[in-house]
Amino acid sequence: MATREHFGKRWLKNKVAFFSRIQKTLWLKKTSVPVLICASGPSLEGALESIKKVREKIFVCALSSAISVLERFDIRPDLALSADGGWWAKKHLYPLKASFSAIPLAIETESACPSFALEKSEILPLCYDDDTVGKKLYDALGVKCLAARRNGTVSGSALELFLTLTSGEIYFAGLDLSPSKSKSHASPNILEREREAMDYRLRTKATRQAAAALPSESLKIYEDWFKSFDLKGRKVFRIKGEKKFSNSLGQIQDISAEDFAERCKKEKSFNASDLFERQKDLPCNEERRRLVKKIILDWSATENFYQELFPADSILLKRAASKEDADERKKALEGKKAKTLAKLFGGKE
């Protein structure tokens, strides 16, 4: 609830930008090809050479924070995936502007995304199973979307997505989810690059990165999710870097980079473009923007709107002790709603 209260308005702004700006959309067919999901943990670096050896045998999906690493080592992914609504998520997508400009982007409607990527990239549309307004907008625009599930980590969302898209084996690279004595991400990392520029004598890089070696509650939550996730007999592997992992992810098996390469060598080469199906183009025009605005405004008249954007206020309204208290809280909610819509579409609050 605290997350929705803080980020709800940002997610809605991202949603309006998404549906107003996307122009080229794709559909990904189901396949039996093995899939490699690249996250940005330090162990990714130890898997890069093995990935290069079998690149033509596997479908490579780069999570947003891993794109810059693959770019540096000249490994071109078949798909980039982003499902984070925070401002920092945009920064990881900037390689899609230059060297990786032709790579399709799988993205959820609430995700933060630079304008150039929405307008120029081929988008593989994702939609959370509880995103009713997103589904209405997709239907209104005549765009097919892939079902996705909310998850604490983008890696978890990617795993659930590809379990439905491929019957082949799924591999993870860079899925450490544990403290590291050296660094918290594979290099180069765009956010780390910005932090380095702010290091100085009294606040060194070593001091800043010391926190990466300490136990993290968020990493433990993500680790526990993977441990408890039921793969229902499917084969999912995590590639080790130079060292063994300090944790276990339940049914997900740890294998060396060499074993990963040997397993994938047996697969047939394939053309990833054959797995994508082009949907119709969506011209960015005033009529489409009016349609998006109308559907959002219609949604804003429902109780679900208040629950999504102002969950704490909605609960307090339901628990109001008197009619006067309820009227006061309802008036405050209407004021917040007017302010939010004015920021989205202009006009008076």
Side-chain angles (χ1 to χ4, degrees):
M1 186 174 71
T3 301
R4 283 189 177 277
E5 190 75 30
H6 184 75
F7 286 105
K9 293 178 282 296
R10 166 60 58 183
W11 291 343
L12 180 57
K13 183 179 179 181
N14 293 343
K15 192 190 298 285
V16 171
F18 177 87
F19 283 108
S20 298
R21 291 176 176 167
I22 59 169
Q23 297 185 36
K24 303 173 185 177
T25 58
L26 295 171
W27 179 258
L28 186 58
K29 304 171 186 175
K30 292 189 176 182
T31 181
S32 59
V33 172
V35 171
L36 171 67
I37 302 170
C38 292
S40 62
S43 64
L44 173 61
E45 294 179 20
L48 294 171
E49 289 303 319
S50 293
I51 294 172
K52 281 187 173 183
K53 291 177 183 177
V54 295
R55 178 62 193 87
E56 304 304 317
K57 310 275 190 175
I58 53 175
F59 183 96
V60 177
C61 173
L63 306 185
S64 55
S65 57
I67 297 173
S68 56
V69 183
L70 299 186
E71 180 190 33
R72 168 69 65 84
F73 289 90
D74 198 28
I75 299 174
R76 191 176 184 83
D78 299 305
L79 181 71
L81 189 151
S82 182
D84 196 323
W87 58 269
W88 53 87
K90 290 184 177 183
K91 296 179 180 290
H92 290 304
L93 296 175
Y94 273 87
L96 301 181
K97 192 172 186 178
S99 53
F100 283 176
S101 59
I103 293 173
L105 172 62
I107 190 166
E108 212 286 323
T109 67
E110 297 174 357
S111 303
C113 186
S115 298
F116 75 83
L118 292 175
E119 295 170 358
K120 303 298 182 183
S121 298
E122 291 186 308
I123 301 294
L124 179 63
L126 305 178
C127 188
Y128 289 137
D129 49 9
D130 62 349
D131 186 2
T132 54
V133 70
K135 290 173 185 175
K136 284 183 180 179
L137 284 161
Y138 277 127
D139 289 342
L141 296 176
V143 173
K144 290 195 298 182
C145 61
L146 288 171
R149 292 184 64 185
R150 293 187 188 276
N151 205 290
T153 171
V154 181
S155 298
S157 296
L159 174 59
E160 293 191 295
L161 177 66
F162 282 103
L163 282 172
T164 67
L165 289 176
T166 182
S167 58
E169 295 178 343
I170 296 176
Y171 300 88
F172 272 103
L175 189 67
D176 296 47
L177 299 182
S178 61
S180 169
K181 292 182 180 180
S182 56
K183 53 187 177 182
S184 54
H185 296 95
S187 298
N189 180 275
I190 291 176
L191 297 183
E192 177 65 18
R193 210 181 277 163
E194 292 185 358
R195 294 178 187 126
E196 284 179 348
M198 300 175 68
D199 292 335
Y200 62 102
R201 186 169 59 87
L202 299 180
R203 183 182 175 279
T204 65
K205 179 178 179 179
T207 301
R208 178 171 52 78
Q209 289 192 334
L214 301 175
S216 164
E217 194 62 36
S218 58
L219 286 180
K220 188 68 172 68
I221 291 171
Y222 303 152
E223 177 189 322
D224 289 344
W225 182 88
F226 279 99
K227 281 182 178 178
S228 62
F229 187 74
D230 185 5
L231 297 174
K232 301 187 186 305
R234 294 289 302 277
K235 290 185 177 180
V236 179
F237 302 91
R238 179 173 64 158
I239 304 170
K240 291 181 284 189
E242 297 176 358
K243 300 178 181 179
K244 290 184 178 180
F245 290 113
S246 61
N247 60 357
S248 168
L249 297 184
Q251 296 178 48
I252 297 177
Q253 303 174 46
D254 292 344
I255 60 172
S256 68
E258 293 74 20
D259 288 343
F260 157 72
E262 284 300 316
R263 294 180 71 94
C264 293
K265 276 181 182 177
K266 303 171 186 176
E267 301 290 338
K268 294 180 180 179
S269 298
F270 73 102
N271 188 346
S273 62
D274 293 339
L275 300 179
F276 290 100
E277 180 182 304
R278 186 81 177 271
Q279 298 195 64
K280 68 175 185 178
D281 288 350
L282 297 169
C284 191
N285 53 33
E286 191 59 36
E287 182 180 349
R288 173 144 66 108
R289 285 189 285 269
R290 282 198 297 269
L291 176 63
V292 172
K293 181 178 179 180
K294 180 183 183 305
I295 291 176
I296 295 293
L297 290 178
D298 288 346
W299 177 50
S300 72
T302 68
E303 186 177 350
N304 179 256
F305 176 86
Y306 298 102
Q307 292 171 346
E308 289 284 324
L309 269 69
F310 315 108
D313 292 288
S314 297
I315 290 173
L316 290 172
L317 175 60
K318 287 181 179 179
R319 296 179 179 178
S322 63
K323 185 179 183 304
E324 291 75 13
D325 185 25
D327 290 341
E328 186 176 333
R329 293 191 182 281
K330 189 172 183 180
K331 184 178 179 181
L333 259 179
E334 289 296 329
K336 288 184 177 183
K337 167 185 163 180
K339 190 176 292 186
T340 299
L341 294 176
K343 286 181 179 179
L344 280 176
F345 304 114
K348 295 180 180 180
E349 295 183 3

